[in-house]
Structures are given as structure tokens and as C-alpha cells.
Amino acid sequence: MQFDTVVIVGVGLLGGSVGLALRERQMAHKIIGVGRTGSSLQDALERGAITQIETNVRQACHQADLVVVCTPVQTVADYVAQSLPTAAPSALVTDVGSTKQTICEAVPETEHGRFCGSHPLAGSDRSGVAHASPSLFENKLTIVTPTTATTPDCIARTEQFWRALGCRTLCMSPAEHDRAVAQTSHLPHVVAAALAGNTPLDLLPLAASGWCDTTRVAAGNVELWRQIICENRQPVLAALRGFADSLEPWLAALESDDARELTRLLLLGKQQRDSVGN
């Protein structure tokens, strides 16, 4: 898969990794990075994630044949809208947002022959292009989220793009995606943040690997995660309420000193964790 002009809007961890992966695989002749601050764009240029700097999205996307929007979720739809009028008629436009329904609904159905949402399940609690890697997507899953208006060709090209970067792909509707990641990504972040925030300050010197492993994702970018949780508010609420209900058997087992039930609950957690692997 080859591109003449690629535009990456938002060259942080994910955008920088897209650029580095494209260059390592020699898939793009020109990679234009778009951002609001010159320093971050300069860092991306020096790291080799992009080959050019631009601050105007419409100008950058002129005749581009691939546009990847890697900004926080509440700005994705606007940048997609800005890119479509000047990108090449045959261009592929996609994004990496952690929520999908609001974004996909904001793009006119007439453009779903060029736009298809996607979400690579790859990342880190660290942010910025300094932590980008050309291997970030290798053996990771990218969820592709077509709507009923998305053309088969656009879906196929979106999947082909992510597979070329080393990903596996899975198609889900935007609504299915948002419900699923509320359980597997957004709820864990809320729980980790709640656990970290609820730990008494005077006990933090005692926090060892168990606490650190469990709360690692709470170190992520606060504004980025605020937007994700707000955009996916209803599915996150449902997941959080379900999680609160799931604590009742633990409370009951402890209150009744039921060792057998505690063993069952611990074993269930272990089995499900072991089934995922490392």
C-alpha cells in the first residue's frame, strides 16, 4: 500500500507512531504533520515522524491521498470536516479516536465513501511524539467502525491500511464499539483513577508493584481522558453501575467470612486474566 501525500493531524504518541511506521515501511513519499504548536511539530520532524510541517489543515490536505486524524476525540469530527473538501477525491480519511459514534455521526453520509472511523487498541500512559514508536501497532487490534453508509471499498482500504502497519482488524458498528470499549478501556481507567485518588497520602510510600500496576493508566493525560469519558458518557455510566453491582458478592463474602465464595471470585478473576495473557 503506497501513498504520495499523507497528512497526520495531531503528531503525538499515536500520530507520531503512524508517521514512523509509514516511513519505516516506505509507504509514503511525503508525510505532512499538522498541529497547533511549532515545538511539537519540530520535535516530530526531528524524530523523523513527518517530513513537513503545516499549521493549516485545509492547506495541508490539498490533494492528500491519506489523512489520519489523531487529535483528542472532541476535535476529531471538526478536523475530518476540514480535511475532506481539499483532500483528493479518492482519498482515505480515518481517525484513531477512542470513541466512535459521535464522530461517525458528525461526518455527512455522502462522505462515507472516503471516511471510515477506526480505533487502534495501542497506546501508553505516556504522551507525546517522544514516546512514539514505529512498532506500536504490531500485533495490536484496530477496530474499524463503518456505518451503514460506508462503502465496501472504503472499509476495505481502511482495514488494509492498518494491516499494513502490523495490526489485526475487526469491524464493529460505532455504537457497538463504544459499548465495548466502555467496559474494556474506559471503565478500567475510571476505576484506576478512583483507586489512586482514594489512597491516603500518608500510605503512598507503601505503594508497591501491585498498586502501581493496577493504577498505571491513571497516569494518562487528564484532558484527553476527560474528553473520552464525556463523549462516551452513557456507556461508561452503564459499565460503572455494572461494576458497582459486581462488588456486592465480594462485600457479602467478606461480611459472612465465606472463604469458598472468595476463592470462587478470585479464581474467576484469575481465569479471565490468564485467558488474555500478558
Side-chain angles (χ1 to χ4, degrees):
M1 198 172 196
Q2 293 291 321
F3 302 97
D4 179 54
T5 302
V6 175
V7 174
I8 301 174
V9 186
V11 193
L13 173 71
L14 288 175
S17 296
V18 169
L20 290 170
L22 287 168
R23 296 200 71 189
E24 184 175 85
R25 291 162 174 77
Q26 299 182 334
M27 289 171 56
H29 174 67
K30 180 168 57 176
I31 303 175
I32 303 174
V34 182
R36 291 180 299 175
T37 61
S39 59
S40 62
L41 290 172
Q42 188 61 39
D43 289 345
L45 187 67
E46 291 174 0
R47 282 223 56 199
I50 58 176
T51 61
Q52 277 182 235
I53 289 173
E54 180 58 70
T55 55
N56 184 289
V57 175
R58 291 176 181 269
Q59 189 169 322
C61 291
H62 181 68
Q63 293 303 304
D65 44 5
L66 172 66
V67 179
V68 187
V69 180
C70 304
T71 61
V73 291
Q74 290 184 338
T75 61
V76 169
D78 180 56
Y79 282 121
V80 169
Q82 290 185 56
S83 70
L84 285 165
T86 57
S90 60
L92 171 64
V93 180
T94 191
D95 73 296
V96 301
S98 298
T99 64
K100 292 268 75 86
Q101 189 166 9
T102 302
I103 293 168
C104 292
E105 288 177 349
V107 179
E109 289 191 353
T110 54
E111 294 290 2
H112 285 219
R114 297 198 293 164
F115 170 79
C116 183
S118 55
H119 177 202
L121 304 184
S124 169
D125 52 286
R126 298 179 178 182
S127 59
V129 72
H131 302 289
S133 167
S135 61
L136 183 69
F137 306 108
E138 289 179 7
N139 300 314
K140 299 297 194 305
L141 178 67
T142 290
I143 303 175
V144 176
T145 59
T147 68
T148 55
T150 312
T151 64
D153 177 67
C154 188
I155 298 169
R157 288 196 297 149
T158 305
E159 290 195 87
Q160 184 183 4
F161 165 64
W162 288 110
R163 287 173 182 168
L165 298 192
C167 287
R168 296 170 288 114
T169 59
L170 173 68
C171 281
M172 303 175 75
S173 74
E176 289 173 327
H177 165 276
D178 286 2
R179 287 193 295 269
V181 297
Q183 290 281 354
T184 61
S185 175
H186 306 166
L187 174 64
H189 195 96
V190 170
V191 172
L195 176 59
N198 195 51
T199 304
L201 288 175
D202 61 326
L203 296 183
L204 289 179
L206 303 180
S209 58
W211 188 93
C212 292
D213 289 347
T214 306
T215 61
R216 177 185 60 83
V217 295
N221 183 286
V222 171
E223 175 57 20
L224 180 72
W225 275 98
R226 182 197 65 78
Q227 291 192 27
I228 290 169
I229 293 166
C230 287
E231 284 289 289
N232 206 26
R233 185 172 66 89
Q234 289 299 336
V236 172
L237 267 173
L240 190 57
R241 287 179 176 132
F243 179 71
D245 290 342
S246 76
L247 294 178
E248 289 301 324
W250 289 89
L251 291 169
L254 285 167
E255 286 171 349
S256 62
D257 196 18
D258 189 340
R260 179 175 294 182
E261 177 65 1
L262 283 172
T263 299
R264 185 190 72 80
L265 292 168
L266 288 165
L267 184 60
L268 176 62
K270 174 177 169 52
Q271 288 172 337
Q272 299 218 149
R273 180 62 180 85
D274 288 347
S275 71
V276 175
N278 294 323

